[in-house]
Amino acid sequence: MRFLRCWPRATEICPPRLPWRQIVAAFFGAVLAIAVLAQLQDWRQIPLVLGSFGASCLLVFAYPASPFSQPRNLIGGHVVSSLTGLAVMSLCGVQPWSMALAVGIAVVLMLLLRVPHPPAGSNPLIVMLSGAGWDFLLTPTLAGTVLLAAVACVYHNGVLKQTYPRYWW
C-alpha cells in the first residue's frame, strides 16, 4: 500500500482528441502507405514491410509536423536501430541482456545523431527475435522507410495540400 501512496499524481489533463478530419486523413494515409509497401513486396518478392512501420504510420500521418515524423528521423532512426540490432546480435548473440543492450544503444545513437523515431526503438528486438541477416538493413529497413517517406510526401502535399516534410536535414 505504501507503494501506491507514493506513486506520483498526474498534474495535467488529457490532451484533446484530434479532429475527425485529421483522424480520417491519418487512416487513409496509413492504409495507403502499408498497401503500397505490401503490394510492392508482393510484386518484387523483396521484404519491404516491417512491424514497426505501423507505429511509424501513426506518427507520419497523424502528427506530420512532429520532429519524430520527419524523413530524417523516420529513415535515420530505423536504419540506426536496425544496424544496432544487427551489430549487437553479431557480437553478442541473442540473450536477454544483449536485447536490452541493443535497445539502449539504439536509443542513445538515435539521440546523439538527432534522428529519434520512437517506433524504430523496437527494431533491435525485431532483428534479434527474427534472427535477421545483414540484408535486413537494406530490405525492409532502408527501402521500406524511403518508400514510406515518399508516400507521405505525395499524400500530404498532393492529396491533403499540407506541407510535408517540415525539414529534410
Side-chain angles (χ1 to χ4, degrees):
M1 290 311 272
R2 180 182 166 169
F3 171 75
L4 293 177
R5 278 185 268 134
C6 70
W7 193 257
R9 291 193 173 104
T11 59
E12 296 182 23
I13 61 170
C14 182
R17 183 183 64 219
L18 292 175
W20 278 107
R21 181 180 172 145
Q22 199 170 341
I23 293 170
V24 171
F27 165 78
F28 283 112
V31 168
L32 176 65
I34 297 301
V36 166
L37 291 176
Q39 190 61 59
L40 285 172
Q41 176 175 286
D42 190 47
W43 285 341
R44 305 292 298 162
Q45 298 299 304
I46 56 172
L48 292 172
V49 177
L50 180 58
S52 55
F53 289 174
S56 293
C57 283
L58 172 67
L59 285 174
V60 170
F61 295 105
Y63 300 98
S66 167
F68 297 137
S69 301
Q70 303 311 303
R72 167 194 173 96
N73 298 67
L74 171 68
I75 297 166
H78 277 290
V79 168
V80 164
S81 291
S82 290
L83 179 60
T84 301
L86 290 163
V88 172
M89 183 173 66
S90 292
L91 294 171
C92 305
V94 179
Q95 302 294 329
W97 64 268
S98 64
M99 293 188 327
L101 181 65
V103 170
I105 292 170
V107 167
V108 167
L109 289 174
M110 282 191 287
L111 293 171
L112 286 173
L113 297 171
R114 296 177 36 225
V115 293
H117 184 69
S122 64
N123 287 11
L125 298 175
I126 293 169
V127 164
M128 295 175 119
L129 292 172
S130 69
W134 285 96
D135 57 335
F136 186 89
L137 194 57
L138 294 177
T139 60
T141 305
L142 180 60
T145 55
V146 167
L147 287 168
L148 183 55
V151 170
C153 286
V154 170
Y155 183 69
H156 285 296
N157 292 293
V159 176
L160 299 179
K161 307 298 185 210
Q162 299 172 340
T163 300
Y164 179 87
R166 297 293 169 103
Y167 57 87
W168 289 98
W169 302 105

